[in-house]
Amino acid sequence: LPLWPQKGQRNSIRKAVRKMWLPLESNPEMLTTFARRVGMPSSFTFTDVFGLDEELLMMVPQPCYALTLLFPVKKMGAFKKEQRAQIEASGQTLSPKLFYVTQHDSCGNACGTIAAVHALANSGIPIEGAIQKFVASQSSATPDERGHALENETDLKEASESSATGGQTETPDRNDDLDNHFICFVPVEGHLYELDGRKAFPINHGPSSPETFLSDSAKVIREKFMANDPDSLNFNVMALVLGDD
């Protein structure tokens, strides 16, 4: 008889001790609901980006403060490893104003929540409530420490799970291993940053401005993400913009 759990048993035991979150659906109504519950003013909203061609990007209201991207992870492993090695070898400049949260395994399926936190904390829009409290309390913490603090942040988790049950599709089980992942793009101090809590650090994609942020982000998404899985239709982009309220 085996002396330790087999693969399936091992996964079940690991999940049993993880504080799994209900995943947020990639639709603007759900993300807006969550963001407003945790302290985004009602004058802001998330909206769909219907395509990354210039004519479709022109439909996105301006100014655009942040983008979220949902993408399939299956074919991204090799690129992610190569990207990390290249940055660790050559270095990169990171703004000290970035608020970056690591997504630990103990906070499974929280990538949509973390993408929204990254958007709200780094976009420069006014925030209050639970998100402002979390950002302020973690201002001097490391990304790793922030990730562990998020595990015990009941206000954010309750708002996230309450929002997750109101989507357009059936909510996945909290223990499901999902094939898609949420990340965020923000312009900070003249540079375009990719904030992915599953990566070792933020990614500086080069100079950007409020006027070019949308097109700069679209170029990165096309060349660094879609190009690695060109046959997939499971890409979804949303923009944080001023709403009609």
Side-chain angles (χ1 to χ4, degrees), residues 194-213:
E194 171 195 333
L195 303 179
D196 178 349
R198 285 296 195 182
K199 289 189 174 179
F201 33 69
I203 308 297
N204 185 338
H205 285 290
S208 189
S209 68
E211 294 76 23
T212 65
F213 165 64

PDB file of all heavy atoms in Angstrom, residues 194-213:
ATOM      1  N   GLU A 194       1.791  45.365 -16.308  1.00  0.00           N
ATOM      2  CA  GLU A 194       0.955  44.170 -16.215  1.00  0.00           C
ATOM      3  C   GLU A 194       1.049  43.668 -14.776  1.00  0.00           C
ATOM      4  O   GLU A 194       2.143  43.432 -14.262  1.00  0.00           O
ATOM      5  CB  GLU A 194       1.461  43.095 -17.180  1.00  0.00           C
ATOM      6  CG  GLU A 194       0.807  41.734 -17.031  1.00  0.00           C
ATOM      7  CD  GLU A 194       1.593  40.649 -17.757  1.00  0.00           C
ATOM      8  OE1 GLU A 194       2.286  40.956 -18.747  1.00  0.00           O
ATOM      9  OE2 GLU A 194       1.507  39.483 -17.319  1.00  0.00           O
ATOM     10  N   LEU A 195      -0.105  43.513 -14.133  1.00  0.00           N
ATOM     11  CA  LEU A 195      -0.153  43.055 -12.751  1.00  0.00           C
ATOM     12  C   LEU A 195      -0.868  41.713 -12.709  1.00  0.00           C
ATOM     13  O   LEU A 195      -2.082  41.634 -12.864  1.00  0.00           O
ATOM     14  CB  LEU A 195      -0.867  44.084 -11.867  1.00  0.00           C
ATOM     15  CG  LEU A 195      -0.266  45.497 -11.887  1.00  0.00           C
ATOM     16  CD1 LEU A 195      -1.064  46.426 -10.991  1.00  0.00           C
ATOM     17  CD2 LEU A 195       1.206  45.481 -11.472  1.00  0.00           C
ATOM     18  N   ASP A 196      -0.083  40.672 -12.534  1.00  0.00           N
ATOM     19  CA  ASP A 196      -0.578  39.296 -12.486  1.00  0.00           C
ATOM     20  C   ASP A 196      -0.098  38.698 -11.170  1.00  0.00           C
ATOM     21  O   ASP A 196       1.092  38.444 -10.988  1.00  0.00           O
ATOM     22  CB  ASP A 196      -0.014  38.510 -13.679  1.00  0.00           C
ATOM     23  CG  ASP A 196      -0.427  37.044 -13.685  1.00  0.00           C
ATOM     24  OD1 ASP A 196      -0.971  36.563 -12.670  1.00  0.00           O
ATOM     25  OD2 ASP A 196      -0.199  36.362 -14.705  1.00  0.00           O
ATOM     26  N   GLY A 197      -1.038  38.464 -10.253  1.00  0.00           N
ATOM     27  CA  GLY A 197      -0.661  37.977  -8.933  1.00  0.00           C
ATOM     28  C   GLY A 197       0.017  36.627  -8.934  1.00  0.00           C
ATOM     29  O   GLY A 197       0.624  36.234  -7.932  1.00  0.00           O
ATOM     30  N   ARG A 198      -0.053  35.910 -10.045  1.00  0.00           N
ATOM     31  CA  ARG A 198       0.606  34.614 -10.150  1.00  0.00           C
ATOM     32  C   ARG A 198       2.041  34.715 -10.682  1.00  0.00           C
ATOM     33  O   ARG A 198       2.745  33.709 -10.739  1.00  0.00           O
ATOM     34  CB  ARG A 198      -0.200  33.694 -11.067  1.00  0.00           C
ATOM     35  CG  ARG A 198      -1.468  33.141 -10.434  1.00  0.00           C
ATOM     36  CD  ARG A 198      -1.158  32.239  -9.260  1.00  0.00           C
ATOM     37  NE  ARG A 198      -2.296  31.422  -8.864  1.00  0.00           N
ATOM     38  CZ  ARG A 198      -2.291  30.577  -7.842  1.00  0.00           C
ATOM     39  NH1 ARG A 198      -1.200  30.458  -7.105  1.00  0.00           N
ATOM     40  NH2 ARG A 198      -3.366  29.881  -7.540  1.00  0.00           N
ATOM     41  N   LYS A 199       2.457  35.900 -11.061  1.00  0.00           N
ATOM     42  CA  LYS A 199       3.836  36.078 -11.516  1.00  0.00           C
ATOM     43  C   LYS A 199       4.705  36.554 -10.356  1.00  0.00           C
ATOM     44  O   LYS A 199       4.213  37.011  -9.328  1.00  0.00           O
ATOM     45  CB  LYS A 199       3.895  37.062 -12.685  1.00  0.00           C
ATOM     46  CG  LYS A 199       3.313  36.472 -13.971  1.00  0.00           C
ATOM     47  CD  LYS A 199       3.563  37.346 -15.184  1.00  0.00           C
ATOM     48  CE  LYS A 199       3.089  36.646 -16.457  1.00  0.00           C
ATOM     49  NZ  LYS A 199       3.300  37.472 -17.686  1.00  0.00           N
ATOM     50  N   ALA A 200       6.012  36.446 -10.537  1.00  0.00           N
ATOM     51  CA  ALA A 200       6.938  36.765  -9.454  1.00  0.00           C
ATOM     52  C   ALA A 200       7.004  38.253  -9.169  1.00  0.00           C
ATOM     53  O   ALA A 200       7.400  38.656  -8.070  1.00  0.00           O
ATOM     54  CB  ALA A 200       8.336  36.238  -9.802  1.00  0.00           C
ATOM     55  N   PHE A 201       6.614  39.071 -10.136  1.00  0.00           N
ATOM     56  CA  PHE A 201       6.701  40.521  -9.985  1.00  0.00           C
ATOM     57  C   PHE A 201       5.863  41.182 -11.073  1.00  0.00           C
ATOM     58  O   PHE A 201       5.464  40.533 -12.051  1.00  0.00           O
ATOM     59  CB  PHE A 201       8.152  41.002 -10.092  1.00  0.00           C
ATOM     60  CG  PHE A 201       9.012  40.187 -11.036  1.00  0.00           C
ATOM     61  CD1 PHE A 201       8.801  40.218 -12.407  1.00  0.00           C
ATOM     62  CD2 PHE A 201      10.018  39.372 -10.550  1.00  0.00           C
ATOM     63  CE1 PHE A 201       9.572  39.469 -13.273  1.00  0.00           C
ATOM     64  CE2 PHE A 201      10.803  38.609 -11.412  1.00  0.00           C
ATOM     65  CZ  PHE A 201      10.586  38.655 -12.772  1.00  0.00           C
ATOM     66  N   PRO A 202       5.551  42.482 -10.919  1.00  0.00           N
ATOM     67  CA  PRO A 202       4.881  43.201 -12.010  1.00  0.00           C
ATOM     68  C   PRO A 202       5.769  43.214 -13.257  1.00  0.00           C
ATOM     69  O   PRO A 202       6.995  43.076 -13.171  1.00  0.00           O
ATOM     70  CB  PRO A 202       4.705  44.618 -11.443  1.00  0.00           C
ATOM     71  CG  PRO A 202       4.833  44.472  -9.966  1.00  0.00           C
ATOM     72  CD  PRO A 202       5.790  43.347  -9.747  1.00  0.00           C
ATOM     73  N   ILE A 203       5.140  43.411 -14.404  1.00  0.00           N
ATOM     74  CA  ILE A 203       5.877  43.472 -15.668  1.00  0.00           C
ATOM     75  C   ILE A 203       5.748  44.881 -16.233  1.00  0.00           C
ATOM     76  O   ILE A 203       4.637  45.365 -16.473  1.00  0.00           O
ATOM     77  CB  ILE A 203       5.340  42.461 -16.703  1.00  0.00           C
ATOM     78  CG1 ILE A 203       5.267  41.053 -16.096  1.00  0.00           C
ATOM     79  CG2 ILE A 203       6.205  42.486 -17.956  1.00  0.00           C
ATOM     80  CD1 ILE A 203       6.581  40.457 -15.684  1.00  0.00           C
ATOM     81  N   ASN A 204       6.883  45.535 -16.446  1.00  0.00           N
ATOM     82  CA  ASN A 204       6.910  46.859 -17.074  1.00  0.00           C
ATOM     83  C   ASN A 204       6.990  46.660 -18.584  1.00  0.00           C
ATOM     84  O   ASN A 204       8.000  46.171 -19.096  1.00  0.00           O
ATOM     85  CB  ASN A 204       8.114  47.656 -16.565  1.00  0.00           C
ATOM     86  CG  ASN A 204       8.137  49.089 -17.077  1.00  0.00           C
ATOM     87  OD1 ASN A 204       7.529  49.403 -18.093  1.00  0.00           O
ATOM     88  ND2 ASN A 204       8.841  49.961 -16.377  1.00  0.00           N
ATOM     89  N   HIS A 205       5.924  47.047 -19.287  1.00  0.00           N
ATOM     90  CA  HIS A 205       5.880  46.867 -20.739  1.00  0.00           C
ATOM     91  C   HIS A 205       6.311  48.127 -21.494  1.00  0.00           C
ATOM     92  O   HIS A 205       6.086  48.217 -22.707  1.00  0.00           O
ATOM     93  CB  HIS A 205       4.485  46.442 -21.184  1.00  0.00           C
ATOM     94  CG  HIS A 205       4.167  45.003 -20.869  1.00  0.00           C
ATOM     95  ND1 HIS A 205       4.774  43.948 -21.512  1.00  0.00           N
ATOM     96  CD2 HIS A 205       3.312  44.447 -19.962  1.00  0.00           C
ATOM     97  CE1 HIS A 205       4.294  42.801 -21.038  1.00  0.00           C
ATOM     98  NE2 HIS A 205       3.410  43.077 -20.096  1.00  0.00           N
ATOM     99  N   GLY A 206       6.911  49.078 -20.800  1.00  0.00           N
ATOM    100  CA  GLY A 206       7.469  50.231 -21.491  1.00  0.00           C
ATOM    101  C   GLY A 206       6.651  51.495 -21.329  1.00  0.00           C
ATOM    102  O   GLY A 206       5.606  51.518 -20.677  1.00  0.00           O
ATOM    103  N   PRO A 207       7.131  52.565 -21.936  1.00  0.00           N
ATOM    104  CA  PRO A 207       6.467  53.873 -21.802  1.00  0.00           C
ATOM    105  C   PRO A 207       5.030  53.847 -22.321  1.00  0.00           C
ATOM    106  O   PRO A 207       4.710  53.150 -23.283  1.00  0.00           O
ATOM    107  CB  PRO A 207       7.343  54.794 -22.653  1.00  0.00           C
ATOM    108  CG  PRO A 207       8.678  54.122 -22.711  1.00  0.00           C
ATOM    109  CD  PRO A 207       8.377  52.651 -22.713  1.00  0.00           C
ATOM    110  N   SER A 208       4.198  54.624 -21.640  1.00  0.00           N
ATOM    111  CA  SER A 208       2.801  54.767 -22.052  1.00  0.00           C
ATOM    112  C   SER A 208       2.299  56.089 -21.503  1.00  0.00           C
ATOM    113  O   SER A 208       2.956  56.733 -20.689  1.00  0.00           O
ATOM    114  CB  SER A 208       1.947  53.604 -21.529  1.00  0.00           C
ATOM    115  OG  SER A 208       0.648  53.626 -22.075  1.00  0.00           O
ATOM    116  N   SER A 209       1.137  56.486 -21.952  1.00  0.00           N
ATOM    117  CA  SER A 209       0.536  57.739 -21.499  1.00  0.00           C
ATOM    118  C   SER A 209      -0.968  57.523 -21.413  1.00  0.00           C
ATOM    119  O   SER A 209      -1.495  56.543 -21.964  1.00  0.00           O
ATOM    120  CB  SER A 209       0.836  58.867 -22.491  1.00  0.00           C
ATOM    121  OG  SER A 209       0.152  58.644 -23.721  1.00  0.00           O
ATOM    122  N   PRO A 210      -1.689  58.420 -20.751  1.00  0.00           N
ATOM    123  CA  PRO A 210      -3.149  58.269 -20.714  1.00  0.00           C
ATOM    124  C   PRO A 210      -3.774  58.195 -22.103  1.00  0.00           C
ATOM    125  O   PRO A 210      -4.771  57.495 -22.308  1.00  0.00           O
ATOM    126  CB  PRO A 210      -3.599  59.524 -19.958  1.00  0.00           C
ATOM    127  CG  PRO A 210      -2.441  59.864 -19.083  1.00  0.00           C
ATOM    128  CD  PRO A 210      -1.226  59.522 -19.889  1.00  0.00           C
ATOM    129  N   GLU A 211      -3.182  58.894 -23.060  1.00  0.00           N
ATOM    130  CA  GLU A 211      -3.727  58.914 -24.425  1.00  0.00           C
ATOM    131  C   GLU A 211      -3.448  57.612 -25.172  1.00  0.00           C
ATOM    132  O   GLU A 211      -4.229  57.216 -26.044  1.00  0.00           O
ATOM    133  CB  GLU A 211      -3.143  60.089 -25.203  1.00  0.00           C
ATOM    134  CG  GLU A 211      -3.550  61.462 -24.700  1.00  0.00           C
ATOM    135  CD  GLU A 211      -2.824  61.871 -23.415  1.00  0.00           C
ATOM    136  OE1 GLU A 211      -1.724  61.337 -23.154  1.00  0.00           O
ATOM    137  OE2 GLU A 211      -3.375  62.708 -22.675  1.00  0.00           O
ATOM    138  N   THR A 212      -2.338  56.946 -24.858  1.00  0.00           N
ATOM    139  CA  THR A 212      -1.959  55.739 -25.604  1.00  0.00           C
ATOM    140  C   THR A 212      -2.134  54.458 -24.806  1.00  0.00           C
ATOM    141  O   THR A 212      -1.881  53.369 -25.323  1.00  0.00           O
ATOM    142  CB  THR A 212      -0.494  55.823 -26.068  1.00  0.00           C
ATOM    143  OG1 THR A 212       0.377  55.833 -24.912  1.00  0.00           O
ATOM    144  CG2 THR A 212      -0.253  57.083 -26.899  1.00  0.00           C
ATOM    145  N   PHE A 213      -2.567  54.576 -23.544  1.00  0.00           N
ATOM    146  CA  PHE A 213      -2.659  53.401 -22.675  1.00  0.00           C
ATOM    147  C   PHE A 213      -3.486  52.276 -23.287  1.00  0.00           C
ATOM    148  O   PHE A 213      -3.083  51.104 -23.274  1.00  0.00           O
ATOM    149  CB  PHE A 213      -3.240  53.798 -21.313  1.00  0.00           C
ATOM    150  CG  PHE A 213      -3.713  52.642 -20.484  1.00  0.00           C
ATOM    151  CD1 PHE A 213      -2.827  51.675 -20.032  1.00  0.00           C
ATOM    152  CD2 PHE A 213      -5.068  52.502 -20.166  1.00  0.00           C
ATOM    153  CE1 PHE A 213      -3.265  50.602 -19.264  1.00  0.00           C
ATOM    154  CE2 PHE A 213      -5.507  51.431 -19.396  1.00  0.00           C
ATOM    155  CZ  PHE A 213      -4.604  50.478 -18.952  1.00  0.00           C
TER     156      PHE A 213
END
